[in-house]
Amino acid sequence: RKEVEQDPGPFNVPEGATVAFNCTYSNSASQSFFWYRQDCRKEPKLLMSVYSSGNEDGRFTAQLNRASQYISLLIRDSKLSDSATYLCVVNRGTGKLIFGQGTTLQVKP
Amino acid sequence: EPEVTQTPSHQVTQMGQEVILRCVPISNHLYFYWYRQILGQKVEFLVSFYNNEISEKSEIFDDQFSVERPDGSNFTLKIRSTKLEDSAMYFCASTGTSNHEQYFGPGTRLTVT
């Protein structure tokens, strides 16, 4: 079983749509959680950290459910510039980041 | 805004040759990492480095790989004898504390022919 699992998509949505991505992780000892965004052939860029209390940054909302070992990302009012691959990332506390395969989002006009 | 930088952006080398990939982490960061991403695959951890020594390494990071912080700013990854399967994007990352967000450099695309 993969340590971090994501639906690869692609998710094709119109501009202005709300889209949600989910991720599950298998290691209950995982300590910190992140969403990164990756554009084609570029480096992963930190989108946001994810906390059990939930956190919001503009149009983006992330949520962590430790009991279910489940992480989510909600994007509201999608923009063309949101088109990218979204990476669910877990840190066991040692610093080593474990990446999911990524979920591809394509926002269409 | 401070950022991680990497050189070269693209390196082409022949199988069996040695390559050195260079990174300049964010200046006040203490933890440094190398990751790689083979085309079409996920990002994979290679090695972490703290206090001038390796903290953790993956099974990918075998005897052909080494890391070094030769001075106060650079962090290098050396592959002694490259193989075709080493062709990938290599990303350097750094952070201030081990459990916090890591910031990635733009990567070096390594092509082994």
Side-chain angles (χ1 to χ4, degrees):
Chain A
R1 184 185 170 186
K2 293 178 190 171
E3 188 158 350
V4 179
E5 292 214 54
Q6 296 182 250
D7 178 351
F11 285 60
N12 293 301
V13 303
E15 266 186 296
T18 295
V19 62
F21 303 139
N22 304 316
C23 165
T24 56
Y25 61 95
S26 61
N27 192 324
S28 59
S30 300
Q31 294 194 12
S32 51
F33 309 87
F34 310 95
W35 283 101
Y36 279 76
R37 165 196 172 127
Q38 187 175 32
D39 294 286
C40 190
R41 296 186 175 235
K42 300 283 190 183
E43 75 273 24
K45 287 196 169 162
L46 179 69
L47 188 63
M48 57 202 303
S49 301
V50 190
Y51 306 110
S52 298
S53 52
N55 48 305
E56 190 173 307
D57 183 1
R59 298 181 293 108
F60 299 84
T61 301
Q63 189 75 50
L64 166 66
N65 184 320
R66 282 189 185 268
S68 305
Q69 295 180 199
Y70 174 92
I71 304 162
S72 64
L73 176 69
L74 184 78
I75 305 175
R76 287 181 298 279
D77 188 23
S78 301
K79 313 284 185 205
L80 295 175
S81 56
D82 293 334
S83 297
T85 297
Y86 289 83
L87 308 175
C88 178
V89 183
V90 166
N91 182 341
R92 284 191 221 144
T94 64
K96 170 183 175 179
L97 295 184
I98 313 291
F99 284 77
Q101 186 75 29
T103 298
T104 300
L105 172 66
Q106 185 68 46
V107 181
K108 302 209 180 283
Chain B
E1 187 177 312
E3 56 184 24
V4 178
T5 59
Q6 289 185 243
T7 54
S9 57
H10 190 190
Q11 172 97 44
V12 182
T13 189
Q14 288 191 323
M15 201 165 51
Q17 295 298 303
E18 175 184 285
V19 293
I20 297 176
L21 310 184
R22 292 185 164 80
C23 168
V24 179
I26 294 172
S27 63
N28 61 346
H29 283 181
L30 301 174
Y31 296 81
F32 314 113
Y33 306 87
W34 284 101
Y35 294 84
R36 81 170 187 192
Q37 187 174 32
I38 294 171
L39 189 63
Q41 297 187 22
K42 65 179 183 177
V43 178
E44 300 174 287
F45 169 81
L46 289 177
V47 66
S48 58
F49 192 86
Y50 170 71
N51 203 24
N52 281 318
E53 58 183 30
I54 291 174
S55 316
E56 187 175 358
K57 58 185 181 180
S58 72
E59 59 275 8
I60 302 167
F61 194 90
D62 62 22
D63 292 345
Q64 293 302 310
F65 290 85
S66 61
V67 289
E68 197 176 35
R69 188 153 161 84
D71 53 45
S73 58
N74 290 284
F75 179 50
T76 62
L77 174 69
K78 183 195 289 188
I79 309 175
R80 265 179 267 284
S81 177
T82 50
K83 305 184 187 72
L84 293 175
E85 54 265 37
D86 293 328
S87 295
M89 197 75 167
Y90 288 81
F91 295 110
C92 173
S94 70
T95 186
T97 53
S98 66
N99 215 20
H100 283 201
E101 300 93 347
Q102 292 178 24
Y103 295 89
F104 284 74
T108 293
R109 178 167 301 284
L110 177 64
T111 302
V112 183
T113 62

